[in-house]
Amino acid sequence: MLQIMICDDETVSLSFLERTVREWAAERKWEVKISLYQSAEQFLFDSEDQEEADILLLDIDMPGLSGIDLAHRLRREGKRAQIIFVTGLADYMLEGYDVEAVSYLLKPVDTGKLFICLDRARERRQKEEPVLLLELSGGMARVGLTKICYLESDAHTTQGHCIRSLYSSGTEPGKPDSMEVSGRTGVKFTMCSRTGIRELEERLAALGSGFFRIHRSYIVNLAYVSRINRREVLLDDGEALPVSRSRWEALNRAYLDYYRNQDLR
């Protein structure tokens, strides 16, 4: 089911958008849940207790917090809703690109154009890479799996070693270590999750990811492994991680299977 939220301070516009979205969903035989808000503040208050929006239709010129301000706040918090601006103002079009908006529609909205934008938003949402949700001391962070080099157990917490340039979240990570990673431009940094490594391993397995537990304290993203031997794996940036003797054979099989699957794509 698609979670679609509409935020517009004009009652007539809110009703029109809701009706049009329902027509779009019925025509394509998709199940949707629609939530309506008449201010950015109401959206922030009510949406805390709901699932994250897949698609957000958002007015810009509203009393209090503007639609642009709301969009920037959602991106800082790591929210990945596909945003469609629906507004009577043409002055903020460039700012719409700053928050990766799907499109910018001027009122009065053409139904056909809105259908096209909704199709594009749904397609983009489906193509998003899987993410791992990390509970940090300052809140939550959604981290794309391709951004994680490896996870390291640290007592009852887990250190996530990630690539900054490929990282998308609202939290501020710690001080990064400048480091070029083969095939990826960026710097590696570490963020601390309050979740234990065993639970994160289960979440990764549920996502069908290319991660492998090489040691009781380490889970590595096989995409970042350049070489393996009986005692350690070598990452693209030269960092070495220990391999448990009991996991060596299974690691070899997982590594071969991972790249065989890549070749088939």
Side-chain angles (χ1 to χ4, degrees), residues 12-188:
V12 173
S13 179
L14 201 63
S15 298
F16 167 78
L17 292 173
E18 180 188 14
R19 183 172 65 252
T20 305
V21 168
R22 292 195 185 281
E23 291 172 359
W24 168 78
E27 183 175 298
R28 284 148 177 76
K29 296 181 173 57
W30 292 329
E31 190 174 359
V32 296
K33 177 183 177 182
I34 301 176
S35 302
L36 306 178
Y37 306 94
Q38 289 192 290
S39 71
E41 290 81 3
Q42 182 190 10
F43 173 93
L44 290 171
F45 180 81
D46 290 348
S47 61
E48 287 184 0
D49 299 324
Q50 297 192 39
E51 292 184 38
E52 183 177 339
D54 293 303
I55 300 174
L56 172 60
L57 278 68
L58 183 58
D59 188 16
I60 288 181
D61 188 20
M62 297 184 290
L65 195 68
S66 73
I68 289 289
D69 291 335
L70 174 59
H72 279 290
R73 175 166 174 172
L74 293 176
R75 291 298 185 245
R76 287 195 302 270
E77 293 175 353
K79 302 297 179 23
R80 303 308 304 162
Q82 297 299 318
I83 298 174
I84 301 173
F85 285 115
V86 183
T87 181
L89 300 175
D91 299 337
Y92 294 94
M93 190 170 295
L94 291 179
E95 289 195 52
Y97 292 107
D98 290 341
V99 293
E100 302 173 343
V102 173
S103 191
Y104 189 106
L105 297 176
L106 289 175
K107 298 177 181 179
V109 175
D110 178 80
T111 299
K113 289 182 179 179
L114 181 54
F115 273 32
I116 292 172
C117 290
L118 288 167
D119 287 337
R120 189 182 306 154
R122 181 179 180 272
E123 182 179 354
R124 279 176 53 169
R125 185 64 169 167
Q126 287 184 319
K127 287 182 177 179
E128 285 187 338
E129 68 167 311
V131 297
L132 185 66
L133 187 65
L134 298 179
E135 295 86 355
L136 311 179
S137 59
M140 309 288 285
R142 290 159 47 92
V143 185
L145 299 190
T146 61
K147 290 84 167 171
I148 303 172
C149 297
Y150 66 93
L151 301 174
E152 178 183 4
S153 178
D154 183 11
H156 298 294
T157 62
T158 303
Q159 301 292 329
H161 300 264
C162 311
I163 298 296
R164 178 186 289 279
S165 64
L166 300 177
Y167 170 78
S168 177
S169 174
T171 60
E172 288 295 328
K175 183 180 179 182
D177 298 320
S178 295
M179 188 177 296
E180 290 296 324
V181 179
S182 175
R184 304 168 180 86
T185 304
V187 290
K188 194 188 295 185

